[in-house]
Amino acid sequence: MIIIIGGGPAGMMAAISAASTQNEVILIEKNEHLGRKLLLTGGGRCNLTNICGSEDLIHHFSKTGSFLRDAFKAFDNNDLISFFARRGLKTRIEEDGRVFPVTDKASSVLDLLIEEVKKLKIKVLVNTSVKEVIVSQSVVKSVLREDGTIIEADKVIVAAGGLSYEATGSTGDGIRIAEKLGHTIVPLTPGIVALTLESTLPERLEGVSLNDVKLVFKAGKKKAASGKGSIIFTKNGISGPITLSSSSKVVDWLNEGKKVSLEIDIMPMLDPKETEEVLIKKISGSSVKKLKNILKEFVPMRFSELLLELSKIPQDKKANQLTSKERKDLIMLFKKVKFDVANTVSFEKAQITRGGISVKEIDPGTMESKKVKGLYFAGEMIDVDGDCGGFSLQAAFSTGYLAGLSRTRYEDLDDSIFVDRKGHRGIIFPKGGSEQWQKEQ
Ligand SMILES: Cc1cc2nc3c(=O)[nH]c(=O)nc-3n(C[C@H](O)[C@H](O)[C@H](O)COP(=O)(O)OP(=O)(O)OC[C@H]3O[C@@H](n4cnc5c(N)ncnc54)[C@H](O)[C@@H]3O)c2cc1C
């Protein structure tokens, strides 16, 4: 009997791969419905993976990313896309290789997973919270539910998620369960998260978006630049794709007690000289126009007013009244609007939890705990965190898939185990260690 704790993407995929090898599987979810967080992903559209090359996937994860090598070998982004395609859900590739369902609905992804769970006759217990995993002499025995009842199991996969968006059910239970069983927990911090700024300016700019800009974060001599993309000002800071994807580095620096500054480059494709040339051309072509109306062609009106204010140019100044000093100041600002970063928004609002169960204590080839036989982990609870762009869900699906297939490394594995790694039935011979997989056609 295999029990899976947590009905998110990692848990559902673990249940599907476990049941595809004809195991008796129970999926336990504490909410009334499976996959609540999945429905929120990608702004409700679900950026389920990224089309980058298979080897490149690992480079989109934190330092511990190489832990995922075997999970990606077993089930990578192409496998995930064909998993959905074979079951009738086509996907589309968007900017930066992000993959979305063609329906633009996260609910299509969830519905398909639920359909598969049903098809494989996986028993699902909803409104059921697991309190503990019971272990005897370092071997998994059963799970204890909140209501005090016990279900026996020879294999338990914990896929209970991280700590953010608590209302979706991710309240850190799995991490507590793992810690209680003697696993090391790498400190939990928010990831892919909006930032707050020291300045009062964002309040006035709330809702203003800047497109095709670049962010440069600095902490002492350290520097991290985002790619080109968009940001949006919030009530007390900034969010938007390039803010979220740069946030991990900023969180690390803030945690180290460093003071972090931010410079926004409004014209990252041009150097200051080229920026000046573009501005001069615009200004001389409409010299009687108010400057702020010219700037509006580059940035939204509220931001153009801010640029004038910061460069101490009167708001109603006409283009032909601009002095060369004022023009230089304005160009400086186009390349560098400066803020100090105060913090991140609350953990609750982070898209992912960084940190979690130490990868040193999990066998990367099976996802089994190195401390407890028969106990496996999958998904966001593990200390690997991906970039913004579909990588977190890919990791959840891949680790779930591998955990579902794997059998304990402590068992006598002379016999081959029958698995489905690439959508075909194949036979895999574990050889020990993380490089254990060999496929027989
Ligand atoms: C707003 C938002 C947008 C996001 N967008 C994207 C995106 O577009 N692309 C991307 O790759 N990632 C995205 N993510 C991240 C992604 O959703 C997570 O990385 C992913 O859901 C992790 O999957 P998981 O199965 O490990 O955990 P979860 O999805 O958190 O699932 C864990 C499940 O376990 C259940 N559970 C917890 N404790 C217990 C217990 N004691 N007993 C029983 N059940 C329990 C929970 O109720 C939950 O259903 C987004 C996250 C957020 C918050």
Side-chain angles (χ1 to χ4, degrees):
M1 163 79 72
I2 301 182
I3 292 182
I4 292 145
I5 306 171
M12 284 187 278
M13 189 53 90
I16 290 166
S17 69
S20 67
T21 57
Q22 277 140 35
N23 292 297
E24 197 184 338
V25 180
I26 300 183
L27 175 61
I28 304 183
E29 167 56 51
K30 74 172 169 191
N31 289 326
E32 191 179 346
H33 300 287
L34 299 174
R36 280 189 69 177
K37 188 175 275 182
L38 185 59
L39 287 178
L40 303 182
T41 57
R45 294 174 58 225
C46 187
N47 173 198
L48 57 106
T49 186
N50 194 289
I51 200 61
C52 73
S54 187
E55 193 46 38
D56 214 26
L57 270 177
I58 283 177
H59 300 124
H60 287 276
F61 288 83
S62 53
K63 287 196 284 270
T64 51
S66 58
F67 168 82
L68 295 171
R69 200 175 293 278
D70 284 357
F72 290 153
K73 257 190 225 164
F75 193 73
D76 65 11
N77 43 2
N78 292 315
D79 297 319
L80 184 66
I81 291 167
S82 39
F83 171 88
F84 284 107
R86 280 201 311 274
R87 289 160 181 83
L89 182 60
K90 293 212 169 74
T91 48
R92 178 175 50 227
I93 303 165
E94 296 193 4
E95 209 184 336
D96 299 327
R98 291 163 196 244
V99 178
F100 292 85
V102 285
T103 56
D104 280 332
K105 286 189 183 130
S107 58
S108 318
V109 175
L110 179 59
D111 291 348
L112 187 147
L113 291 169
I114 292 175
E115 196 50 44
E116 195 66 14
V117 164
K118 280 187 190 150
K119 218 186 285 168
L120 290 166
K121 300 196 171 21
I122 294 162
K123 188 170 176 188
V124 181
L125 303 178
V126 290
N127 290 320
T128 306
S129 182
V130 170
K131 196 172 167 193
E132 258 179 63
V133 173
I134 298 170
V135 168
S136 165
Q137 291 173 342
S138 303
V139 180
V140 102
K141 290 287 168 214
S142 55
V143 301
L144 170 66
R145 306 196 293 189
E146 282 294 344
D147 65 6
T149 53
I150 284 177
I151 314 176
E152 291 188 359
D154 345 276
K155 169 170 172 180
V156 173
I157 302 172
V158 191
L163 257 191
S164 70
Y165 281 75
E166 276 202 357
T168 63
S170 321
T171 48
D173 294 6
I175 292 169
R176 277 192 292 278
I177 289 171
E179 191 169 26
K180 200 166 167 198
L181 294 174
H183 297 85
T184 307
I185 306 301
V186 175
L188 308 177
T189 54
I192 311 188
V193 64
L195 302 173
T196 60
L197 302 174
E198 296 281 6
S199 164
T200 53
L201 293 176
E203 204 171 333
R204 287 167 40 195
L205 297 171
E206 188 179 358
V208 168
S209 298
L210 299 178
N211 298 320
D212 294 330
V213 299
K214 182 171 135 187
L215 304 179
V216 180
F217 292 96
K218 288 183 178 166
K221 287 190 180 139
K222 293 188 171 165
K223 189 169 155 180
S226 72
K228 195 161 61 91
S230 57
I231 61 167
I232 181 162
F233 283 89
T234 60
K235 194 171 167 46
N236 53 4
I238 50 166
S239 186
I242 56 170
T243 309
L244 298 177
S245 41
S246 321
S247 61
S248 297
K249 188 103 262 127
V250 177
V251 172
D252 286 344
W253 288 340
L254 291 171
N255 285 342
E256 289 164 19
K258 296 199 167 95
K259 203 168 156 35
V260 184
S261 67
L262 161 67
E263 294 167 5
I264 304 174
D265 183 347
I266 296 166
M267 291 198 169
M269 320 73 77
L270 306 178
D271 64 24
K273 180 129 190 31
E274 291 164 330
T275 308
E276 183 169 15
E277 281 163 15
V278 169
L279 271 185
I280 290 175
K281 208 166 162 199
K282 276 278 171 210
I283 288 168
S284 52
S286 19
S287 56
V288 291
K289 257 188 167 182
K290 278 190 186 165
L291 249 185
K292 67 177 172 191
N293 289 329
I294 295 175
L295 299 185
K296 207 179 69 181
E297 292 180 32
F298 302 100
V299 287
M301 180 55 107
R302 271 196 281 162
F303 203 81
S304 78
E305 286 168 357
L306 175 78
L307 291 177
L308 292 181
E309 187 182 320
L310 291 175
S311 45
K312 302 196 172 49
I313 300 172
Q315 293 291 335
D316 55 357
K317 192 148 208 174
K318 298 224 170 85
N320 60 5
Q321 297 168 330
L322 194 66
T323 67
S324 66
K325 155 110 185 35
E326 286 170 334
R327 196 176 64 213
K328 287 262 177 287
D329 290 348
L330 201 54
I331 283 148
M332 286 277 285
L333 274 178
F334 258 81
K335 297 302 291 173
K336 218 183 263 188
V337 186
K338 277 185 167 179
F339 292 96
D340 285 326
V341 176
N343 207 337
T344 64
V345 297
S346 72
F347 209 145
E348 163 61 20
K349 292 270 179 315
Q351 285 199 9
I352 59 163
T353 300
R354 300 169 70 223
I357 304 161
S358 168
V359 295
K360 292 185 187 140
E361 294 168 5
I362 306 172
D363 180 344
T366 59
M367 296 294 134
E368 187 177 25
S369 159
K370 290 181 181 171
K371 295 190 169 257
V372 179
K373 178 180 161 184
L375 179 69
Y376 295 72
F377 300 112
E380 209 177 295
M381 309 171 36
I382 302 174
D383 174 33
V384 270
D385 51 280
D387 290 344
C388 192
F391 299 99
S392 310
L393 281 174
Q394 179 64 53
F397 286 125
S398 298
T399 53
Y401 186 86
L402 184 55
L405 283 184
S406 303
R407 281 206 334 208
T408 176
R409 71 189 336 242
Y410 301 87
E411 277 177 48
D412 178 4
L413 289 171
D414 283 347
D415 291 333
S416 55
I417 51 171
F418 195 65
V419 292
D420 178 359
R421 286 180 70 204
K422 295 274 176 192
H424 321 291
R425 294 241 161 202
I427 300 173
I428 289 173
F429 296 95
K431 282 200 162 160
S434 62
E435 297 299 330
Q436 65 186 351
W437 299 111
Q438 224 180 56
K439 192 167 183 180
E440 190 173 86
Q441 298 301 330

